[in-house]
Amino acid sequence: MARVFSGVKPTGHLTLGNYLGAMRQWAAVDQHRGEALFCVVDLHALTVEHDPARVRRLSRQTASLLLAAGLDPELCTVFVQSHVDEHARLSYLMECVATDGEMRRMIQYKEKAARERVRGGSVRLSLLTYPALMAADILAYNADDVPVGDDQTQHVELARDLAVRFNQRYGHTFVVPRATRPEVAARVMNLQEPTSKMGKSDDTGPGIVYLLDEPDVVRKKVMRAVTDSGEGVVYDREGQPGVANLLEILAACAGGEPEELAGSYDSYGALKKDVAEAVVEVLRPLRERHRELCADPGYVEGVLRQGAARARGVARPTVDAAYRAIGLLAP
């Protein structure tokens, strides 16, 4: 069976985009089709300015939401990245295999570094090198499949390159992973800026549906979503990105194909109303389960402890083998 690994960064409250683009498929498909590991990648949250207490709070909330979304500790491993030392151990080896040019070509680094230069500042070194840590996250578990959104595909490709390079130079050590993506709503866009993804680290709150938003808040955000100047409801990602985004969200929540759903509406208002109700109903069981988990924090903590122990047992032999292969003395 395939081994699956994926993770989510606790840099903000999880959004509808996180759920439709990743978490729902993890629960419905990925945890059932092989040995699956899902990680709260808290070390990655340190690459930008952050409040330590908020990182801890969001890490706990993220883990609870993963479980609320349907991840079952009996079927998969749910854990926190920093609880497993092998991530940091292997990250340094990946930095020794990667090149400076590869790091600087990463889109997220280029965009964030450019924004900071405009402000007269600079980014943390860890933002440049974090793709090596992400590669270590994946390769430590010899993952076959890495379910990711479109914006993370570049990082999985780097992990593939580093695995191949390491294997060629030092002997076969790592499985070469592949990125997998859901067919619909792999990248949910911001309701107010439909050419930008709905990111949890974004500060344009009105365009983001958070998983823990109250139903009336969800309805208000969807009803205020930006649409496009055009004739009728048409699925056209380039020409009408706002409407296309709503149709993709509706397709992901209620079923169907965006192109076919477009023919059912003669007004933006009717489309928005149906999208709003579909989103509210999709999130309802998740919010209810999250409320139950918050009332029993000991359960979540136990899941994370057990998950870290299982993850450590999987990763340590691979990382130890990598240390030997690259030329380090065994302790």
Side-chain angles (χ1 to χ4, degrees), residues 194-195 226-248 262 268 271:
T195 57
V226 169
T227 49
D228 315 281
S229 58
E231 297 183 2
V233 177
V234 178
Y235 181 68
D236 180 356
R237 170 52 72 185
E238 297 298 324
Q240 296 194 39
V243 174
N245 187 39
L246 291 172
L247 289 167
E248 289 186 354
Y268 296 150
L271 172 62

Side-chain angles (χ1 to χ4, degrees), residues 123-130:
V123 297
R124 298 183 180 192
L125 178 61
S126 56
L127 184 66
L128 174 64
T129 60
Y130 99 89

Side-chain angles (χ1 to χ4, degrees), residues 22-320:
M23 295 163 61
R24 187 170 66 169
Q25 175 163 306
W26 294 353
V29 178
D30 294 317
Q31 70 173 338
H32 298 281
R33 66 183 180 89
E35 184 180 1
L37 303 102
F38 300 103
C39 182
V40 179
V41 288
D42 56 341
L43 294 176
H44 291 295
L46 309 185
T47 61
V48 295
E49 191 68 29
H50 64 277
D51 172 43
R54 186 171 187 264
V55 171
R56 285 191 291 269
R57 184 172 64 254
L58 288 175
S59 295
R60 187 176 296 108
Q61 183 186 88
T62 298
S64 298
L65 283 169
L66 290 177
L67 297 173
L71 292 185
D72 183 348
E74 298 298 320
L75 297 175
C76 67
T77 301
V78 180
F79 67 105
V80 175
Q81 180 189 32
S82 63
H83 294 176
V84 180
D85 293 344
E86 279 62 35
H87 291 258
R89 289 180 61 207
L90 186 56
S91 178
Y92 181 69
L93 298 197
M94 293 299 101
E95 290 182 17
C96 293
V97 175
T99 67
D100 176 75
E102 287 174 318
M103 297 294 101
R104 295 185 186 280
R105 283 197 296 272
M106 294 292 106
I107 292 173
Q108 292 192 33
Y109 170 77
K110 290 169 65 175
E111 291 178 347
K112 291 180 179 179
R115 285 198 297 267
E116 284 301 316
R117 282 195 295 271
V118 170
R119 298 170 183 164
S122 62
V123 297
R124 298 183 180 192
L125 178 61
S126 56
L127 184 66
L128 174 64
T129 60
Y130 99 89
L133 174 58
M134 185 171 178
D137 297 338
I138 297 166
L139 300 181
Y141 298 97
N142 279 324
D144 300 288
D145 295 339
V146 186
V148 292
D150 291 341
D151 59 323
Q152 292 296 327
T153 302
Q154 185 186 37
H155 293 91
V156 180
E157 289 301 317
L158 175 65
R160 289 174 55 85
D161 292 342
L162 296 182
V164 170
R165 189 176 306 154
F166 191 101
N167 290 345
Q168 290 175 342
R169 289 180 179 176
Y170 307 114
H172 185 80
T173 306
F174 300 115
V175 169
V176 179
R178 57 181 174 266
T180 60
R181 293 175 295 279
E183 295 181 0
V184 178
R187 197 176 192 192
V188 178
M189 312 306 279
N190 190 298
L191 296 176
Q192 292 297 317
E193 300 176 12
T195 57
S196 301
K197 78 166 187 173
M198 187 181 286
K200 61 182 178 296
S201 302
D202 203 336
D203 58 3
T204 53
I208 303 171
V209 175
Y210 296 105
L211 297 185
L212 297 179
D213 278 346
E214 294 291 336
D216 285 346
V217 174
V218 173
R219 293 185 181 100
K220 184 179 295 185
K221 289 180 177 179
V222 175
M223 294 305 294
R224 293 179 177 176
V226 169
T227 49
D228 315 281
S229 58
E231 297 183 2
V233 177
V234 178
Y235 181 68
D236 180 356
R237 170 52 72 185
E238 297 298 324
Q240 296 194 39
V243 174
N245 187 39
L246 291 172
L247 289 167
E248 289 186 354
I249 292 172
L250 181 60
C253 291
E257 295 294 330
E259 295 88 345
E260 297 175 0
L261 290 170
S264 303
Y265 297 95
D266 54 14
S267 72
Y268 296 150
L271 172 62
K272 288 180 177 181
K273 183 177 179 180
D274 282 358
V275 171
E277 293 307 316
V279 172
V280 166
E281 289 306 310
V282 160
L283 296 184
R284 189 185 306 280
L286 181 147
R287 294 178 65 253
E288 291 175 354
R289 177 58 177 152
H290 179 262
R291 191 178 303 115
E292 295 172 357
L293 291 168
C294 286
D296 187 9
Y299 171 76
V300 176
E301 292 170 4
V303 167
L304 295 179
R305 281 196 303 271
Q306 294 171 11
R310 288 202 300 266
R312 199 175 299 118
V314 174
R316 183 164 294 170
T318 300
V319 177
D320 286 348

